[in-house]
Amino acid sequence: MSFPTIDLLTDPGDAKATVKAVVFYIASERARGTRLLKVLHPDDKNTQVLLSRKLRKLRAGGRIVCFSQAGAVKEEEAQALYIADKVPQVTEDGDFFTPASTVTYILLA
């Protein structure tokens, strides 16, 4: 099983535009019945903060189950372990184990 990858690195806009694009893709992929989404996004601090804040709000609202940055499974972060448990195919993705602040995995509700 493969999962959609959204590459927002090729056209880096401002942080707010990046977050809006991620929310749009989450809604689109949920409508298609997708279970897991991989997002490649810029590494700047503002994008990281806004994206994390928005994903926490979506999680609290029940629109996503959880999210985790790449490499968090090595630190035994609970959300990364949960994603690996629910979608074992994610462990076949090379980025999942490599620490990268530009890759986020989102488990959709």
Side-chain angles (χ1 to χ4, degrees):
M1 176 186 122
S2 67
F3 44 89
T5 301
I6 290 100
D7 187 356
L8 299 174
L9 293 172
T10 56
D11 185 25
D14 66 337
K16 287 183 181 182
T18 299
V19 171
K20 284 182 182 180
V22 170
V23 171
F24 171 79
Y25 283 114
I26 288 171
S28 297
E29 293 302 325
R30 282 185 70 212
R32 290 187 186 120
T34 301
R35 183 87 171 123
L36 183 68
L37 187 61
K38 177 181 175 182
V39 180
L40 307 174
H41 51 80
D43 191 21
D44 68 280
K45 186 69 173 173
N46 195 27
T47 300
Q48 296 288 344
V49 169
L50 289 177
L51 182 60
S52 181
R53 187 177 298 153
K54 186 61 168 183
L55 290 174
R56 282 194 304 268
K57 286 181 182 178
L58 291 173
R59 183 181 61 205
R63 299 182 78 194
I64 66 172
V65 175
C66 63
F67 64 96
S68 180
Q69 280 194 326
V73 73
K74 286 187 175 182
E75 299 169 9
E76 295 189 8
E77 179 188 278
Q79 293 185 75
L81 295 172
Y82 186 78
I83 290 172
D85 182 55
K86 293 298 179 186
V87 185
Q89 296 84 355
V90 73
T91 59
E92 298 170 9
D93 183 35
D95 290 337
F96 189 67
F97 294 102
T98 307
S101 59
T102 61
V103 181
T104 301
Y105 293 88
I106 304 170
L107 187 60
L108 305 177

XYZ file of all heavy atoms in Angstrom:
840
model
N 0.832 -1.184 0.000
C 0.000 0.000 0.000
C 0.870 1.238 0.000
O 1.812 1.361 0.758
C -0.878 -0.005 1.254
C -1.715 1.236 1.405
S -2.586 1.232 2.983
C -1.952 2.740 3.659
N 0.575 2.130 -0.880
C 1.281 3.400 -0.864
C 0.339 4.459 -0.305
O -0.868 4.272 -0.261
C 1.739 3.767 -2.273
O 0.623 4.025 -3.087
N 0.904 5.529 0.104
C 0.095 6.609 0.637
C 0.498 7.895 -0.057
O 1.636 8.049 -0.498
C 0.233 6.717 2.159
C 1.637 6.588 2.659
C 2.445 7.701 2.773
C 2.150 5.359 3.001
C 3.744 7.587 3.215
C 3.446 5.223 3.451
C 4.248 6.349 3.559
N -0.428 8.842 -0.176
C -0.140 10.086 -0.890
C 0.953 10.898 -0.204
O 1.025 10.962 1.026
C -1.464 10.845 -0.844
C -2.491 9.854 -0.478
C -1.800 8.769 0.275
N 1.792 11.504 -1.020
C 2.832 12.401 -0.549
C 2.580 13.771 -1.155
O 2.461 13.891 -2.371
C 4.228 11.899 -0.960
O 4.424 10.601 -0.404
C 5.311 12.838 -0.476
N 2.493 14.765 -0.327
C 2.295 16.127 -0.790
C 3.620 16.854 -0.643
O 4.155 16.951 0.466
C 1.189 16.849 0.018
C -0.164 16.242 -0.317
C 1.146 18.314 -0.310
C -0.630 15.299 0.688
N 4.151 17.341 -1.753
C 5.437 18.018 -1.750
C 5.223 19.523 -1.812
O 4.926 20.074 -2.873
C 6.284 17.538 -2.929
C 7.694 18.079 -2.889
O 8.008 18.893 -1.985
O 8.489 17.694 -3.762
N 5.376 20.183 -0.681
C 5.253 21.636 -0.624
C 6.624 22.314 -0.613
O 6.724 23.514 -0.410
C 4.447 22.044 0.614
C 3.024 21.496 0.652
C 2.357 21.814 1.973
C 2.212 22.049 -0.495
N 7.668 21.524 -0.853
C 9.024 22.063 -0.918
C 9.324 22.684 -2.274
O 10.142 23.585 -2.381
C 10.054 20.966 -0.632
C 10.064 20.407 0.784
C 11.000 19.211 0.852
C 10.474 21.468 1.773
N 8.651 22.201 -3.312
C 8.942 22.677 -4.662
C 8.477 24.109 -4.888
O 9.069 24.834 -5.667
C 8.283 21.768 -5.717
O 6.880 21.698 -5.448
C 8.886 20.385 -5.682
N 7.425 24.514 -4.200
C 6.907 25.872 -4.349
C 6.687 26.455 -2.957
O 5.548 26.620 -2.521
C 5.601 25.864 -5.137
C 5.090 27.265 -5.412
O 5.910 28.202 -5.439
O 3.867 27.425 -5.586
N 7.789 26.754 -2.251
C 7.619 27.239 -0.882
C 7.010 28.633 -0.850
O 7.598 29.588 -1.340
C 9.038 27.235 -0.316
C 9.916 27.367 -1.501
C 9.186 26.716 -2.631
N 5.818 28.711 -0.317
C 5.176 30.005 -0.139
C 5.441 30.467 1.283
O 6.342 29.984 1.948
N 4.629 31.387 1.755
C 4.788 31.783 3.147
C 4.197 30.701 4.041
O 3.536 29.772 3.579
C 4.153 33.144 3.401
C 2.635 33.132 3.250
O 2.118 32.248 2.551
O 1.981 34.010 3.837
N 4.424 30.814 5.326
C 4.006 29.779 6.285
C 2.497 29.587 6.287
O 2.008 28.461 6.322
C 4.507 30.133 7.676
N 1.744 30.680 6.218
C 0.284 30.577 6.251
C -0.237 29.853 5.018
O -1.158 29.045 5.108
C -0.355 31.958 6.354
C -0.190 32.579 7.717
C -0.892 33.917 7.805
C -0.702 34.528 9.180
N -1.406 35.799 9.309
N 0.352 30.122 3.862
C -0.065 29.452 2.628
C 0.248 27.957 2.698
O -0.540 27.130 2.233
C 0.615 30.087 1.423
N 1.374 27.612 3.284
C 1.749 26.207 3.432
C 0.748 25.479 4.325
O 0.292 24.385 3.993
C 3.172 26.091 4.016
O 4.093 26.714 3.119
C 3.567 24.646 4.224
N 0.378 26.093 5.429
C -0.567 25.476 6.354
C -1.936 25.331 5.691
O -2.587 24.287 5.811
C -0.659 26.281 7.669
C -1.792 25.769 8.547
C 0.664 26.199 8.417
N -2.367 26.337 4.950
C -3.649 26.252 4.234
C -3.621 25.122 3.215
O -4.608 24.402 3.052
C -3.971 27.572 3.536
C -4.456 28.636 4.470
C -4.808 29.899 3.718
C -5.246 30.991 4.672
N -5.600 32.224 3.953
N -2.494 24.947 2.537
C -2.368 23.874 1.555
C -2.462 22.512 2.239
O -3.120 21.604 1.734
C -1.051 23.995 0.798
N -1.840 22.362 3.402
C -1.895 21.101 4.136
C -3.330 20.800 4.558
O -3.808 19.672 4.403
C -0.940 21.121 5.359
C -1.180 19.920 6.248
C 0.500 21.166 4.900
N -4.049 21.802 5.050
C -5.443 21.608 5.467
C -6.295 21.209 4.263
O -7.146 20.319 4.360
C -5.996 22.881 6.151
C -7.494 22.769 6.390
C -5.268 23.128 7.459
N -6.062 21.821 3.118
C -6.790 21.466 1.902
C -6.527 20.011 1.518
O -7.461 19.258 1.215
C -6.389 22.389 0.744
C -6.929 21.959 -0.569
C -8.249 22.220 -0.913
C -6.139 21.270 -1.480
C -8.769 21.813 -2.132
C -6.647 20.854 -2.698
C -7.963 21.130 -3.031
N -5.266 19.599 1.551
C -4.932 18.221 1.194
C -5.505 17.222 2.194
O -5.922 16.138 1.814
C -3.422 18.040 1.058
C -2.883 18.591 -0.233
C -2.018 19.669 -0.245
C -3.250 18.042 -1.455
C -1.520 20.181 -1.435
C -2.773 18.547 -2.646
C -1.905 19.612 -2.634
O -1.429 20.114 -3.806
N -5.521 17.587 3.465
C -6.122 16.704 4.465
C -7.596 16.484 4.142
O -8.084 15.355 4.137
C -5.941 17.270 5.893
C -4.488 17.132 6.322
C -6.866 16.572 6.887
C -4.150 17.841 7.626
N -8.309 17.563 3.860
C -9.736 17.446 3.539
C -9.944 16.627 2.267
O -10.836 15.767 2.215
C -10.352 18.835 3.381
N -9.128 16.856 1.259
C -9.254 16.122 -0.006
C -8.994 14.633 0.182
O -9.743 13.790 -0.324
C -8.270 16.673 -1.041
O -8.553 18.003 -1.334
N -7.951 14.305 0.903
C -7.597 12.899 1.095
C -8.573 12.187 2.026
O -8.851 11.008 1.851
C -6.155 12.768 1.609
C -5.110 13.208 0.599
C -5.172 12.450 -0.724
O -5.488 11.241 -0.722
O -4.904 13.070 -1.760
N -9.124 12.893 2.995
C -10.164 12.291 3.842
C -11.379 11.929 3.006
O -11.990 10.876 3.199
C -10.580 13.263 4.953
C -9.610 13.327 6.101
C -10.109 14.209 7.223
N -11.237 13.557 7.863
C -12.255 14.202 8.415
N -12.288 15.508 8.427
N -13.228 13.542 8.996
N -11.734 12.798 2.062
C -12.884 12.537 1.189
C -12.635 11.312 0.314
O -13.574 10.594 -0.035
C -13.178 13.752 0.328
N -11.387 11.064 -0.043
C -11.033 9.897 -0.860
C -10.901 8.628 -0.036
O -10.726 7.548 -0.580
C -9.707 10.153 -1.576
C -9.793 11.168 -2.654
C -8.479 11.235 -3.413
N -8.541 12.325 -4.356
C -7.730 13.364 -4.378
N -6.742 13.439 -3.506
N -7.880 14.317 -5.260
N -10.919 8.758 1.276
C -10.791 7.587 2.138
C -9.359 7.211 2.454
O -9.091 6.097 2.910
N -8.443 8.120 2.237
C -7.034 7.870 2.529
C -6.824 7.763 4.029
O -7.447 8.479 4.804
C -6.171 9.024 1.963
O -6.393 9.098 0.550
C -4.708 8.816 2.232
N -5.956 6.886 4.438
C -5.682 6.653 5.864
C -4.469 7.428 6.370
O -4.452 7.915 7.485
C -5.468 5.152 6.076
C -5.248 4.736 7.475
C -6.572 4.478 8.168
N -6.311 3.870 9.456
C -6.723 4.371 10.591
N -7.443 5.445 10.621
N -6.434 3.763 11.718
N -3.418 7.531 5.531
C -2.169 8.174 5.942
C -1.709 9.138 4.871
O -1.813 8.854 3.683
C -1.088 7.120 6.198
C 0.252 7.620 6.705
C 0.115 8.159 8.126
C 1.279 6.503 6.683
N -1.174 10.252 5.306
C -0.716 11.303 4.409
C 0.703 11.688 4.812
O 0.992 11.860 6.001
C -1.657 12.501 4.551
C -1.531 13.675 3.630
C -1.761 13.249 2.186
C -2.578 14.716 4.018
N 1.577 11.820 3.820
C 2.955 12.249 4.065
C 3.100 13.648 3.473
O 2.771 13.871 2.314
C 3.931 11.283 3.395
C 5.386 11.671 3.520
C 6.252 10.648 2.796
C 7.694 11.039 2.780
N 8.515 10.053 2.040
N 3.582 14.586 4.282
C 3.702 15.968 3.839
C 5.160 16.402 3.919
O 5.795 16.284 4.961
C 2.838 16.913 4.709
C 2.983 18.340 4.238
C 1.394 16.480 4.701
N 5.678 16.890 2.793
C 7.015 17.481 2.743
C 6.815 18.990 2.767
O 6.131 19.539 1.900
C 7.742 17.070 1.465
C 7.815 15.573 1.177
C 8.432 15.316 -0.182
C 8.584 14.864 2.262
N 7.393 19.660 3.749
C 7.156 21.084 3.929
C 8.455 21.810 4.250
O 9.445 21.182 4.648
C 6.115 21.322 5.024
C 6.423 20.597 6.298
N 7.333 21.054 7.221
C 5.961 19.428 6.786
C 7.399 20.204 8.225
N 6.581 19.202 7.985
N 8.479 23.145 4.093
C 9.697 23.913 4.387
C 10.141 23.769 5.843
O 9.350 23.444 6.728
C 9.281 25.363 4.095
C 8.124 25.256 3.167
C 7.416 23.983 3.539
N 11.414 24.041 6.066
C 12.034 23.832 7.368
C 12.041 25.079 8.252
O 12.542 25.031 9.351
C 13.467 23.343 7.162
C 14.105 22.840 8.439
O 13.358 22.487 9.371
O 15.337 22.814 8.520
N 11.486 26.180 7.790
C 11.581 27.395 8.599
C 10.755 27.290 9.875
O 9.759 26.576 9.942
C 11.174 28.626 7.783
C 9.713 28.629 7.441
O 9.326 27.924 6.485
O 8.958 29.333 8.126
N 11.180 27.982 10.896
C 10.582 27.904 12.223
C 9.109 28.321 12.219
O 8.276 27.685 12.861
C 11.384 28.780 13.194
C 10.954 28.661 14.621
C 11.316 27.305 15.172
C 11.038 27.260 16.659
N 11.217 25.925 17.192
N 8.768 29.368 11.480
C 7.394 29.860 11.444
C 6.448 28.798 10.880
O 5.365 28.562 11.423
C 7.315 31.156 10.632
C 6.019 31.889 10.848
O 5.381 31.777 11.887
N 5.624 32.657 9.848
N 6.858 28.138 9.811
C 6.046 27.075 9.225
C 5.873 25.931 10.213
O 4.768 25.403 10.380
C 6.672 26.556 7.915
O 6.760 27.638 6.990
C 5.860 25.430 7.316
N 6.946 25.547 10.873
C 6.893 24.454 11.846
C 5.893 24.750 12.962
O 5.074 23.896 13.315
C 8.277 24.217 12.464
C 9.329 23.763 11.508
C 9.137 22.335 11.059
O 8.396 21.574 11.657
N 9.797 21.960 9.996
N 5.946 25.955 13.487
C 5.072 26.336 14.599
C 3.616 26.395 14.148
O 2.721 25.833 14.793
C 5.516 27.687 15.201
C 4.477 28.233 16.175
C 6.862 27.535 15.894
N 3.353 27.074 13.026
C 1.976 27.202 12.545
C 1.385 25.850 12.156
O 0.218 25.571 12.450
C 1.909 28.164 11.360
C 2.127 29.641 11.679
C 2.099 30.469 10.390
C 1.092 30.150 12.650
N 2.183 25.007 11.503
C 1.689 23.699 11.091
C 1.390 22.826 12.308
O 0.333 22.197 12.374
C 2.701 23.007 10.173
C 2.288 21.645 9.637
C 1.000 21.763 8.826
C 3.392 21.062 8.779
N 2.279 22.816 13.266
C 2.056 22.014 14.473
C 0.812 22.496 15.217
O -0.004 21.686 15.663
C 3.284 22.098 15.376
O 3.103 21.329 16.517
N 0.649 23.787 15.321
C -0.521 24.353 15.999
C -1.812 23.958 15.284
O -2.789 23.553 15.911
C -0.381 25.875 16.051
C -1.438 26.567 16.880
C -1.193 28.053 16.947
N 0.086 28.317 17.602
C 0.818 29.405 17.373
N 0.407 30.330 16.526
N 1.955 29.586 18.006
N -1.810 24.051 13.956
C -3.002 23.716 13.174
C -3.317 22.225 13.274
O -4.484 21.836 13.423
C -2.811 24.122 11.710
C -4.040 23.944 10.879
C -5.159 24.811 11.427
C -6.311 24.906 10.476
N -7.354 25.798 10.983
N -2.290 21.385 13.217
C -2.521 19.943 13.310
C -3.044 19.550 14.690
O -3.887 18.660 14.800
C -1.244 19.172 12.965
C -0.826 19.239 11.493
C 0.535 18.562 11.297
C -1.876 18.639 10.585
N -2.582 20.220 15.727
C -3.127 19.950 17.070
C -4.610 20.325 17.133
O -5.409 19.602 17.743
C -2.337 20.705 18.132
C -1.017 20.046 18.480
C -0.418 20.606 19.754
N -0.241 22.049 19.730
C 0.866 22.684 19.342
N 1.911 21.992 18.956
N 0.937 23.986 19.371
N -4.983 21.434 16.496
C -6.400 21.839 16.474
C -7.240 20.831 15.688
O -8.348 20.497 16.088
C -6.555 23.226 15.859
C -6.107 24.335 16.770
C -6.302 25.688 16.116
C -5.807 26.796 17.023
N -5.943 28.121 16.396
N -6.711 20.352 14.561
C -7.431 19.356 13.770
C -7.572 18.050 14.543
O -8.604 17.385 14.462
C -6.723 19.112 12.438
C -6.758 20.264 11.439
C -5.885 19.946 10.231
C -8.180 20.573 11.006
N -6.546 17.686 15.300
C -6.608 16.477 16.128
C -7.660 16.646 17.223
O -8.464 15.748 17.469
C -5.240 16.172 16.738
C -5.224 14.884 17.548
C -3.883 14.615 18.150
N -3.538 15.696 19.050
C -2.293 16.034 19.377
N -1.279 15.377 18.877
N -2.064 17.025 20.200
N -7.684 17.802 17.853
C -8.668 18.056 18.914
C -10.088 18.060 18.348
O -11.029 17.643 19.030
C -8.380 19.390 19.593
N -10.248 18.487 17.096
C -11.556 18.508 16.454
C -11.958 17.182 15.835
O -13.043 17.060 15.267
N -11.092 16.194 15.900
C -11.414 14.871 15.374
C -11.249 14.718 13.873
O -11.668 13.713 13.311
N -10.601 15.664 13.215
C -10.415 15.566 11.769
C -9.202 14.732 11.401
O -9.137 14.178 10.308
C -10.328 16.956 11.162
C -11.631 17.723 11.434
C -11.651 19.059 10.836
N -11.923 18.893 9.409
C -11.746 19.870 8.537
N -11.314 21.036 8.933
N -12.006 19.662 7.266
N -8.232 14.655 12.310
C -7.099 13.752 12.140
C -6.955 12.961 13.437
O -7.442 13.382 14.487
C -5.779 14.476 11.791
C -5.285 15.350 12.945
C -5.924 15.281 10.517
C -3.899 15.937 12.733
N -6.286 11.816 13.357
C -6.074 10.995 14.547
C -4.815 11.467 15.270
O -4.826 11.719 16.466
C -5.962 9.500 14.180
C -5.630 8.668 15.402
C -7.239 9.033 13.524
N -3.707 11.580 14.525
C -2.458 12.049 15.106
C -1.494 12.426 13.994
O -1.764 12.197 12.811
C -1.847 11.001 16.033
S -1.384 9.472 15.223
N -0.361 12.990 14.377
C 0.672 13.357 13.419
C 2.024 13.210 14.085
O 2.141 13.251 15.311
C 0.470 14.785 12.897
C 0.604 15.844 13.949
C 1.806 16.506 14.136
C -0.460 16.184 14.762
C 1.936 17.476 15.109
C -0.350 17.150 15.734
C 0.861 17.803 15.913
N 3.053 13.020 13.262
C 4.399 12.837 13.791
C 5.418 13.218 12.731
O 5.201 12.977 11.541
C 4.601 11.380 14.192
O 5.887 11.187 14.693
N 6.523 13.785 13.187
C 7.599 14.089 12.257
C 8.418 12.836 11.980
O 8.451 11.910 12.791
C 8.518 15.173 12.816
C 7.953 16.561 12.651
C 9.000 17.617 12.899
O 9.873 17.449 13.731
N 8.906 18.703 12.176
N 9.071 12.843 10.844
C 9.925 11.714 10.476
C 11.015 11.532 11.521
O 11.540 12.496 12.067
C 10.542 11.966 9.109
N 11.345 10.307 11.809
C 12.401 9.984 12.759
C 11.945 9.907 14.195
O 12.700 9.478 15.062
N 10.718 10.298 14.488
C 10.230 10.294 15.868
C 10.071 8.886 16.416
O 10.089 8.681 17.625
C 8.914 11.050 15.967
N 9.931 7.907 15.531
C 9.773 6.525 15.986
C 11.043 6.039 16.691
O 10.976 5.242 17.613
C 9.362 5.597 14.819
C 10.514 5.340 13.881
C 8.791 4.301 15.336
N 12.193 6.556 16.283
C 13.447 6.166 16.949
C 13.495 6.685 18.375
O 14.145 6.101 19.224
C 14.647 6.683 16.158
C 14.902 5.911 14.895
C 16.177 6.336 14.239
C 16.465 5.464 13.046
N 17.714 5.811 12.397
N 12.816 7.787 18.621
C 12.745 8.352 19.971
C 11.591 7.740 20.751
O 11.298 8.159 21.866
C 12.574 9.867 19.888
C 13.714 10.567 19.191
C 13.400 12.019 18.889
O 12.368 12.534 19.360
O 14.195 12.634 18.170
N 10.921 6.784 20.134
C 9.771 6.090 20.717
C 8.646 7.048 21.099
O 7.987 6.880 22.119
C 10.201 5.222 21.898
C 11.106 4.097 21.486
C 11.367 3.098 22.593
O 10.728 3.172 23.652
O 12.224 2.230 22.375
N 8.459 8.060 20.256
C 7.339 8.980 20.453
C 6.039 8.209 20.263
O 5.884 7.448 19.313
C 7.425 10.126 19.446
C 6.286 11.110 19.559
C 6.283 12.123 18.442
O 7.023 13.101 18.535
O 5.528 11.906 17.471
N 5.100 8.406 21.155
C 3.855 7.637 21.151
C 3.089 7.761 19.839
O 2.573 6.759 19.326
C 2.970 8.070 22.319
N 3.006 8.962 19.289
C 2.237 9.144 18.054
C 2.890 8.422 16.875
O 2.197 7.831 16.050
C 2.078 10.632 17.749
C 1.200 11.325 18.775
C 0.931 12.759 18.417
O 0.127 13.018 17.523
N 1.604 13.671 19.085
N 4.206 8.454 16.796
C 4.902 7.753 15.713
C 4.706 6.246 15.834
O 4.488 5.554 14.838
C 6.388 8.106 15.729
N 4.777 5.732 17.046
C 4.553 4.302 17.267
C 3.119 3.917 16.926
O 2.871 2.840 16.370
C 4.888 3.926 18.713
C 6.358 4.075 19.111
C 6.524 3.870 20.603
C 7.233 3.130 18.315
N 2.175 4.781 17.237
C 0.770 4.517 16.927
C 0.562 4.469 15.416
O -0.139 3.590 14.908
C -0.110 5.601 17.552
C -1.584 5.334 17.404
C -2.228 4.417 18.222
C -2.338 5.991 16.435
C -3.583 4.163 18.091
C -3.697 5.747 16.297
C -4.314 4.838 17.122
O -5.658 4.583 16.981
N 1.172 5.407 14.695
C 1.064 5.413 13.228
C 1.640 4.121 12.666
O 1.041 3.491 11.794
C 1.763 6.651 12.627
C 0.958 7.909 12.973
C 1.927 6.515 11.121
C 1.639 9.215 12.608
N 2.801 3.703 13.156
C 3.431 2.468 12.679
C 2.569 1.248 12.995
O 2.524 0.296 12.213
C 4.813 2.310 13.301
N 1.867 1.286 14.112
C 0.997 0.176 14.488
C -0.246 0.121 13.595
O -0.665 -0.955 13.176
C 0.588 0.309 15.955
C -0.270 -0.850 16.417
O 0.174 -2.011 16.265
O -1.380 -0.601 16.916
N -0.849 1.255 13.321
C -2.094 1.298 12.548
C -1.870 1.150 11.052
O -2.726 0.633 10.337
C -2.857 2.602 12.819
C -3.387 2.694 14.234
C -4.370 1.574 14.495
C -4.901 1.609 15.904
N -5.736 0.466 16.215
N -0.722 1.629 10.556
C -0.400 1.533 9.130
C 1.019 0.977 9.009
O 1.977 1.723 8.805
C -0.512 2.919 8.431
C -0.306 2.793 6.932
C -1.845 3.588 8.734
N 1.178 -0.329 9.151
C 2.519 -0.930 9.157
C 3.333 -0.674 7.882
O 4.562 -0.684 7.918
C 2.253 -2.424 9.328
C 0.850 -2.545 9.782
C 0.139 -1.313 9.365
N 2.653 -0.393 6.776
C 3.353 -0.143 5.521
C 4.214 1.118 5.586
O 5.134 1.286 4.790
C 2.361 -0.015 4.352
C 1.580 -1.265 4.075
C 0.343 -1.403 4.970
O 0.104 -0.606 5.867
N -0.445 -2.436 4.729
N 3.947 1.992 6.532
C 4.734 3.218 6.653
C 6.189 2.903 6.992
O 7.086 3.664 6.657
C 4.111 4.201 7.683
C 4.322 3.722 9.102
C 4.658 5.598 7.501
N 6.428 1.760 7.615
C 7.798 1.396 7.967
C 8.630 1.053 6.732
O 9.844 1.003 6.815
C 7.820 0.216 8.956
O 7.171 -0.907 8.367
C 7.132 0.597 10.261
N 7.985 0.842 5.595
C 8.698 0.591 4.348
C 9.179 1.882 3.708
O 9.996 1.860 2.788
C 7.794 -0.167 3.373
C 7.384 -1.527 3.883
C 6.304 -2.174 3.035
O 5.978 -1.647 1.950
O 5.762 -3.199 3.473
N 8.673 3.018 4.179
C 9.085 4.321 3.661
C 10.389 4.728 4.343
O 10.468 4.793 5.566
C 7.984 5.351 3.942
C 8.315 6.713 3.353
O 8.931 6.756 2.280
O 7.957 7.720 3.982
N 11.411 4.983 3.558
C 12.728 5.326 4.095
C 12.744 6.568 4.964
O 13.535 6.663 5.905
N 11.883 7.527 4.689
C 11.856 8.767 5.467
C 11.302 8.581 6.874
O 11.551 9.402 7.752
C 11.018 9.835 4.760
C 11.679 10.369 3.505
O 12.918 10.268 3.408
O 10.960 10.878 2.628
N 10.541 7.531 7.102
C 9.881 7.352 8.385
C 10.879 7.233 9.541
O 10.624 7.697 10.649
C 8.961 6.132 8.352
C 8.083 6.010 9.564
C 7.083 6.932 9.816
C 8.241 4.961 10.454
C 6.264 6.825 10.933
C 7.425 4.833 11.568
C 6.438 5.778 11.806
N 12.022 6.632 9.301
C 13.007 6.417 10.351
C 14.103 7.477 10.375
O 14.859 7.565 11.330
C 13.646 5.032 10.204
C 12.669 3.927 10.438
C 12.126 3.229 9.369
C 12.271 3.589 11.719
C 11.206 2.215 9.583
C 11.359 2.574 11.947
C 10.824 1.889 10.874
N 14.215 8.273 9.328
C 15.255 9.282 9.219
C 14.774 10.605 9.806
O 13.772 11.147 9.340
C 15.634 9.506 7.739
O 15.947 8.247 7.153
C 16.806 10.447 7.615
N 15.446 11.125 10.818
C 15.019 12.412 11.382
C 15.062 13.513 10.326
O 16.086 13.754 9.706
C 16.044 12.682 12.482
C 16.620 11.357 12.810
C 16.577 10.561 11.533
N 13.932 14.129 10.100
C 13.830 15.221 9.134
C 12.703 16.141 9.571
O 11.562 15.717 9.704
C 13.544 14.669 7.736
N 13.037 17.387 9.794
C 12.028 18.343 10.244
C 11.146 18.821 9.089
O 10.221 19.601 9.301
C 12.694 19.538 10.919
O 13.579 20.171 10.015
N 11.423 18.339 7.896
C 10.615 18.738 6.729
C 9.608 17.688 6.320
O 8.916 17.859 5.321
C 11.537 19.042 5.520
O 12.262 17.860 5.201
C 12.485 20.182 5.812
N 9.510 16.590 7.068
C 8.578 15.512 6.731
C 7.655 15.244 7.920
O 8.117 15.000 9.023
C 9.328 14.205 6.366
C 8.333 13.101 6.005
C 10.311 14.444 5.238
N 6.343 15.306 7.661
C 5.358 15.032 8.689
C 4.384 13.981 8.171
O 3.924 14.060 7.033
C 4.584 16.310 9.071
O 5.512 17.284 9.546
C 3.549 16.028 10.151
N 4.079 13.005 9.007
C 3.109 11.973 8.692
C 1.819 12.288 9.455
O 1.878 12.578 10.654
C 3.620 10.584 9.083
C 4.791 10.155 8.248
C 6.093 10.477 8.611
C 4.596 9.433 7.075
C 7.171 10.095 7.837
C 5.663 9.050 6.291
C 6.949 9.380 6.681
O 8.008 9.003 5.906
N 0.687 12.217 8.756
C -0.592 12.542 9.366
C -1.528 11.347 9.190
O -1.801 10.927 8.064
C -1.203 13.795 8.708
C -0.222 14.977 8.786
C -2.536 14.140 9.357
C -0.634 16.172 7.959
N -2.020 10.814 10.301
C -2.988 9.727 10.282
C -4.371 10.358 10.285
O -4.742 11.056 11.226
C -2.807 8.819 11.495
C -3.629 7.542 11.535
C -3.321 6.641 10.333
C -3.355 6.780 12.831
N -5.124 10.118 9.206
C -6.421 10.755 9.032
C -7.525 9.981 9.736
O -7.454 8.777 9.873
C -6.737 10.894 7.546
C -5.688 11.623 6.707
C -6.087 11.619 5.248
C -5.476 13.031 7.198
N -8.546 10.706 10.161
C -9.681 10.085 10.846
C -10.648 9.486 9.855
O -10.732 9.853 8.732
C -10.406 11.133 11.701
